[in-house]
Amino acid sequence: MSYALITGASSGIGYELAKLCAKNGHNVILVARRENKLIQLATDLEKNYKIKTLIIPNDLSQINSAKKIFDIVQEKSITVNYLINNAGFIVYGCFSETSWEDEQKMIQLQTLNLSYLTKLFLPGMLKLKKGGILNIGSTGSFVPGPYNAVYCATKSFILSFSEAIAEELSGTGVSVTTLCPGGTNTAFLKDENRNDSSFFSVMKASKVARIGYDALIKGKRVVIPGLVNKLQVFSIRFIPGMIVSKFMGRMMSVKEN
């Protein structure tokens, strides 16, 4: 049986992806900060789908965390067939006022450690000449994000990085897929400072995860869940950048205290 490693597996899209992997017969390696949530999820997956699990409590916003995850997997002599880089969080507000400490952690998590996990686990997949990587971007990968500047910048990095690596891997049997959801019913939408009404549509995490999982298995390069999200991203190509920035600034505006 193959192994899928899922970061940010304790909630939201990552939680749903873990369930989908287990349901489809993959053993799973579950990574997240909250050990109690991982234990409960692992117990449920083993009981319901008769697969093996490995939990790795880990905070990927810390510098050495990617290597620690890789070393644990190596010690267990496990070959990872599918890597799902899902872990992420968001910081809202004017860049001049937001916490640099939080934004630095976000950059570490969503660019540096995502890249490092990819670099660490990719050679094993290439050796087998099969496997796949699913990186979670956003519709924000395609636009600048006023009041959300660093988050959208990291998601833009993820899309560019993933598409480049996907091309490098053409013909190897290993694929890289970028899932770019829009508003999704996860903990992100519970942030008190977020203007939820700015979203045209909000999708269920389970539906987004299903679309992402199917795209991973099929080896697609980029997938945008939902017709409204697809139309938004498509329309951006025909709108001047300054207008897009102004629109996004209004859409992502922070609620007044």
Side-chain angles (χ1 to χ4, degrees), residues 201-226:
S201 64
V202 176
M203 296 181 67
K204 291 182 178 180
S206 57
K207 185 173 182 179
V208 172
R210 164 56 68 183
I211 292 169
Y213 176 82
D214 289 345
L216 169 66
I217 298 303
K218 293 176 182 178
K220 293 184 177 180
R221 292 197 179 184
V222 180
V223 59
I224 303 168

Side-chain angles (χ1 to χ4, degrees), residues 141-159:
S141 298
F142 301 91
V143 293
Y147 305 108
N148 206 8
V150 178
Y151 176 81
C152 286
T154 64
K155 292 300 184 178
S156 179
F157 171 89
I158 289 171
L159 177 61

Side-chain angles (χ1 to χ4, degrees), residues 94-133:
C94 293
F95 180 72
S96 60
E97 301 172 358
T98 49
S99 164
W100 173 246
E101 181 181 10
D102 290 341
E103 286 165 337
Q104 189 174 34
K105 288 180 179 179
M106 184 164 58
I107 293 168
Q108 182 69 49
L109 168 61
Q110 291 167 196
T111 62
L112 297 176
N113 276 329
L114 179 145
S115 302
Y116 197 17
L117 284 173
T118 300
K119 183 172 284 290
L120 290 169
F121 286 105
L122 181 56
M125 299 178 193
L126 289 172
K127 186 175 181 180
L128 293 174
K129 297 183 180 180
K130 62 180 180 180
I133 298 167

Side-chain angles (χ1 to χ4, degrees), residues 57-84:
N58 187 286
D59 183 355
L60 276 162
S61 69
Q62 302 302 311
I63 293 175
N64 297 318
S65 53
K67 185 61 164 57
K68 290 178 181 178
I69 292 170
F70 181 73
D71 288 345
I72 291 170
V73 173
Q74 291 293 101
E75 288 171 5
K76 300 288 184 180
S77 299
I78 294 173
T79 298
V80 170
N81 306 94
Y82 295 100
L83 171 63
I84 300 177

